[in-house]
Amino acid sequence: MWKGLLAQYREYLPVTDKTPQLTLMEGNTPLIPLTSLSEEWGIELYVKVEGANPTGSFKDRGMVMAVAKAKEEGSKTVICASTGNTSAAAAAYAARAGMNCIVMIPNGKIAYGKLAQAVMYGAEIISIDGNFDHALSMVRKLSETSPIALVNSVNPYRIEGQKTAAFEICDALGSAPDVLAIPVGNAGNITAYWKGFSEYHALKGTGLPQMRGFEAEGSAAIVRGHRIENPETVATAIRIGNPASWDKAVAAANNSGGKIDEVTDAEILAAYELLAKREGVFAEPASCASIAGVMKQVQSGEIAKGSRVVAVLTGNGLKDPDIAIETKKIKPIVLPNDERIVFAHIEGVVLQ
Ligand code: F0G
């Protein structure tokens, strides 16, 4: 039986006899082959479905490690800035560990499902009239002068936990893929995957993928080469203008023969719809930056035909129902509770 990340990957993680055995059975997420899109694009495409984690995003991998270490080191409270998913994961693992959790979020700019999670897991929620970058800078300062543990991805334990997704991909495929495509926001996750692939390769000779990271065009600080004061994108999870792990993301891309690129909101939403309708996989908009990026770079020839590609789907589509309903032109039709009318509609419209 799967035992959760800290037990499963103990030898690769900073776990000691004193580390609490915290888990919500995170990790072990599906790697799904996208048969239809693979055929259309002439590549071998898989998605790593991180939305299958306990709180619906990849953050659980990092948070189980960071919260366990915070508890081991004697903290009673954890704090984070978040565009939503980090706050959900921090709140859940703090609840599980019997700790307090404070989350700082950009007012009005987080998906409703994520807010619902933070509320239910009992976090202290502070919503600021600012963006993620402002919130991160505040919580960093606060944690420097107080016993509160910071659990954003600037905390190295977060990266340690998140690197395990790379191990799972290598185990599932028998080796690293040719290309790893991943959304980039604060740039912690691309850093973690690169660390994971590099460590596994050193130990087991699994090979190294090209790391291809994708920012949203309106928040593409790394691509532009300067920080974005007012980042914007429909993909609120990656609405970040000053990525904390900027240098590490650039190093991962450069050292692997990959690239940090950007995708537009229109490309993100097109990928979001395509993935759900063609493959039956529903991921939140930010996650679909990876699919949009693969589509773009297959067209440009940067991703070679025949490549084995893994795209990371970082969060579950259910996190952000508002965007789903807004995006689709087809809305549910409302009919009277009358068999004749309902059947006539189906015969006339659906079965045509
Ligand atoms: N995808 C999703 C769904 C995310 O929630 C995030 C980051 C990313 C991608 C980008 O990952 O920051 O490691 O480059 N969300 C953070 C949060 C910022 O607060 O939940 P990254």
Short mmCIF file of all heavy atoms in Angstrom, two decimals, residues 58-59 81-86 132 183-189 237-238 240 284 286-287 314-315, ligand 1:
data_model
loop_
_atom_site.label_atom_id
_atom_site.label_comp_id
_atom_site.label_asym_id
_atom_site.label_seq_id
_atom_site.Cartn_x
_atom_site.Cartn_y
_atom_site.Cartn_z
N PHE A 58 -0.14 20.04 -6.81
CA PHE A 58 1.22 19.56 -6.52
C PHE A 58 1.78 20.09 -5.22
O PHE A 58 2.78 19.60 -4.71
CB PHE A 58 2.17 19.94 -7.67
CG PHE A 58 2.51 21.41 -7.74
CD1 PHE A 58 3.68 21.90 -7.16
CD2 PHE A 58 1.67 22.31 -8.37
CE1 PHE A 58 4.00 23.26 -7.21
CE2 PHE A 58 1.99 23.67 -8.44
CZ PHE A 58 3.15 24.14 -7.85
N LYS A 59 1.14 21.12 -4.68
CA LYS A 59 1.68 21.76 -3.47
C LYS A 59 1.74 20.78 -2.30
O LYS A 59 2.54 20.97 -1.38
CB LYS A 59 0.82 22.95 -3.08
CG LYS A 59 0.64 23.99 -4.16
CD LYS A 59 1.89 24.81 -4.39
CE LYS A 59 1.62 25.84 -5.47
NZ LYS A 59 2.77 26.71 -5.70
N ALA A 81 2.36 33.16 1.63
CA ALA A 81 1.64 33.98 0.66
C ALA A 81 1.15 33.01 -0.40
O ALA A 81 1.79 31.99 -0.62
CB ALA A 81 2.59 34.99 0.02
N SER A 82 0.04 33.33 -1.05
CA SER A 82 -0.44 32.36 -2.03
C SER A 82 -1.40 32.93 -3.05
O SER A 82 -2.17 33.84 -2.75
CB SER A 82 -1.12 31.20 -1.30
OG SER A 82 -1.54 30.21 -2.21
N THR A 83 -1.35 32.35 -4.25
CA THR A 83 -2.38 32.61 -5.25
C THR A 83 -3.50 31.57 -5.09
O THR A 83 -4.39 31.50 -5.92
CB THR A 83 -1.79 32.53 -6.67
OG1 THR A 83 -1.17 31.25 -6.85
CG2 THR A 83 -0.77 33.63 -6.91
N GLY A 84 -3.45 30.75 -4.06
CA GLY A 84 -4.56 29.86 -3.72
C GLY A 84 -4.18 28.44 -3.37
O GLY A 84 -4.57 27.93 -2.33
N ASN A 85 -3.41 27.78 -4.23
CA ASN A 85 -3.11 26.37 -3.97
C ASN A 85 -2.18 26.15 -2.79
O ASN A 85 -2.37 25.22 -2.00
CB ASN A 85 -2.51 25.72 -5.22
CG ASN A 85 -3.58 25.41 -6.24
OD1 ASN A 85 -4.69 25.02 -5.89
ND2 ASN A 85 -3.26 25.58 -7.52
N THR A 86 -1.18 27.00 -2.67
CA THR A 86 -0.27 26.87 -1.52
C THR A 86 -1.04 27.05 -0.22
O THR A 86 -0.82 26.32 0.75
CB THR A 86 0.86 27.92 -1.61
OG1 THR A 86 1.61 27.68 -2.80
CG2 THR A 86 1.79 27.86 -0.43
N PHE A 132 0.43 38.76 -5.37
CA PHE A 132 1.20 37.71 -4.71
C PHE A 132 2.59 38.20 -4.30
O PHE A 132 3.07 37.90 -3.20
CB PHE A 132 1.34 36.50 -5.65
CG PHE A 132 2.30 35.46 -5.15
CD1 PHE A 132 1.87 34.47 -4.28
CD2 PHE A 132 3.64 35.47 -5.53
CE1 PHE A 132 2.76 33.51 -3.80
CE2 PHE A 132 4.53 34.52 -5.06
CZ PHE A 132 4.09 33.54 -4.19
N PRO A 183 4.19 24.62 -16.09
CA PRO A 183 3.87 26.04 -15.89
C PRO A 183 4.87 26.67 -14.92
O PRO A 183 5.36 26.01 -14.02
CB PRO A 183 2.48 26.01 -15.24
CG PRO A 183 2.01 24.60 -15.28
CD PRO A 183 3.20 23.73 -15.47
N VAL A 184 5.14 27.95 -15.11
CA VAL A 184 6.05 28.66 -14.20
C VAL A 184 5.35 29.88 -13.61
O VAL A 184 4.82 30.72 -14.34
CB VAL A 184 7.34 29.09 -14.94
CG1 VAL A 184 8.21 29.98 -14.05
CG2 VAL A 184 8.13 27.86 -15.39
N GLY A 185 5.34 29.94 -12.27
CA GLY A 185 4.80 31.10 -11.56
C GLY A 185 5.91 31.70 -10.72
O GLY A 185 6.67 32.57 -11.14
N ASN A 186 6.03 31.16 -9.49
CA ASN A 186 7.10 31.61 -8.60
C ASN A 186 8.39 30.83 -8.87
O ASN A 186 9.41 31.08 -8.25
CB ASN A 186 6.65 31.42 -7.15
CG ASN A 186 7.26 32.41 -6.20
OD1 ASN A 186 7.63 33.52 -6.59
ND2 ASN A 186 7.39 32.03 -4.95
N ALA A 187 8.30 29.84 -9.75
CA ALA A 187 9.44 29.06 -10.27
C ALA A 187 10.01 28.02 -9.30
O ALA A 187 11.09 27.49 -9.52
CB ALA A 187 10.55 29.98 -10.80
N GLY A 188 9.27 27.72 -8.25
CA GLY A 188 9.71 26.67 -7.32
C GLY A 188 9.59 25.28 -7.92
O GLY A 188 10.48 24.44 -7.75
N ASN A 189 8.51 25.04 -8.65
CA ASN A 189 8.26 23.67 -9.11
C ASN A 189 9.23 23.24 -10.20
O ASN A 189 9.70 22.11 -10.19
CB ASN A 189 6.81 23.53 -9.59
CG ASN A 189 6.25 22.13 -9.38
OD1 ASN A 189 6.71 21.40 -8.50
ND2 ASN A 189 5.26 21.77 -10.16
N ALA A 237 -3.35 31.39 -10.72
CA ALA A 237 -2.33 30.66 -9.94
C ALA A 237 -0.91 31.11 -10.28
O ALA A 237 -0.02 31.05 -9.44
CB ALA A 237 -2.47 29.15 -10.17
N ILE A 238 -0.70 31.55 -11.53
CA ILE A 238 0.65 31.97 -11.94
C ILE A 238 0.71 33.47 -12.25
O ILE A 238 1.51 33.93 -13.05
CB ILE A 238 1.20 31.12 -13.12
CG1 ILE A 238 0.21 31.08 -14.30
CG2 ILE A 238 1.50 29.70 -12.65
CD1 ILE A 238 0.81 30.42 -15.56
N ILE A 240 2.15 36.13 -11.23
CA ILE A 240 3.31 36.45 -10.39
C ILE A 240 4.31 37.23 -11.24
O ILE A 240 4.66 36.79 -12.33
CB ILE A 240 3.94 35.15 -9.83
CG1 ILE A 240 2.93 34.47 -8.87
CG2 ILE A 240 5.27 35.41 -9.15
CD1 ILE A 240 3.34 33.10 -8.40
N GLU A 284 -6.83 22.92 -13.97
CA GLU A 284 -7.11 24.36 -13.85
C GLU A 284 -6.30 25.14 -14.90
O GLU A 284 -5.29 24.63 -15.43
CB GLU A 284 -6.83 24.85 -12.43
CG GLU A 284 -5.38 24.85 -12.01
CD GLU A 284 -5.20 25.62 -10.70
OE1 GLU A 284 -5.27 26.85 -10.73
OE2 GLU A 284 -5.00 24.97 -9.66
N ALA A 286 -4.02 27.52 -15.06
CA ALA A 286 -2.56 27.65 -14.95
C ALA A 286 -1.86 26.37 -15.37
O ALA A 286 -0.82 26.40 -16.03
CB ALA A 286 -2.16 28.01 -13.52
N SER A 287 -2.44 25.24 -15.01
CA SER A 287 -1.85 23.94 -15.37
C SER A 287 -1.72 23.80 -16.88
O SER A 287 -0.78 23.19 -17.38
CB SER A 287 -2.74 22.80 -14.89
OG SER A 287 -2.90 22.85 -13.51
N THR A 314 -0.63 20.88 -12.93
CA THR A 314 -0.32 21.20 -11.54
C THR A 314 -1.52 21.21 -10.59
O THR A 314 -1.37 20.97 -9.40
CB THR A 314 0.38 22.56 -11.52
OG1 THR A 314 -0.33 23.44 -12.40
CG2 THR A 314 1.82 22.45 -11.98
N GLY A 315 -2.72 21.52 -11.13
CA GLY A 315 -3.88 21.64 -10.24
C GLY A 315 -5.16 21.15 -10.89
O GLY A 315 -5.31 21.16 -12.11
N1 F0G B 1 0.27 25.78 -11.34
C1 F0G B 1 -0.52 25.96 -10.28
C2 F0G B 1 -1.87 25.36 -10.30
C3 F0G B 1 -0.07 26.73 -9.18
O1 F0G B 1 -0.87 26.91 -8.15
C4 F0G B 1 1.22 27.31 -9.23
C5 F0G B 1 1.72 28.13 -8.14
C6 F0G B 1 2.01 27.05 -10.35
C7 F0G B 1 1.51 26.29 -11.38
C8 F0G B 1 3.39 27.58 -10.49
O2 F0G B 1 4.29 26.91 -9.68
O3 F0G B 1 5.12 28.86 -8.43
O4 F0G B 1 6.31 26.70 -8.35
O5 F0G B 1 6.33 28.07 -10.42
N2 F0G B 1 1.01 28.51 -7.18
C9 F0G B 1 1.51 29.22 -6.00
C10 F0G B 1 0.42 29.32 -4.95
C11 F0G B 1 2.18 30.49 -6.28
O6 F0G B 1 0.42 30.25 -4.13
O7 F0G B 1 -0.45 28.45 -4.91
P1 F0G B 1 5.60 27.67 -9.18
#
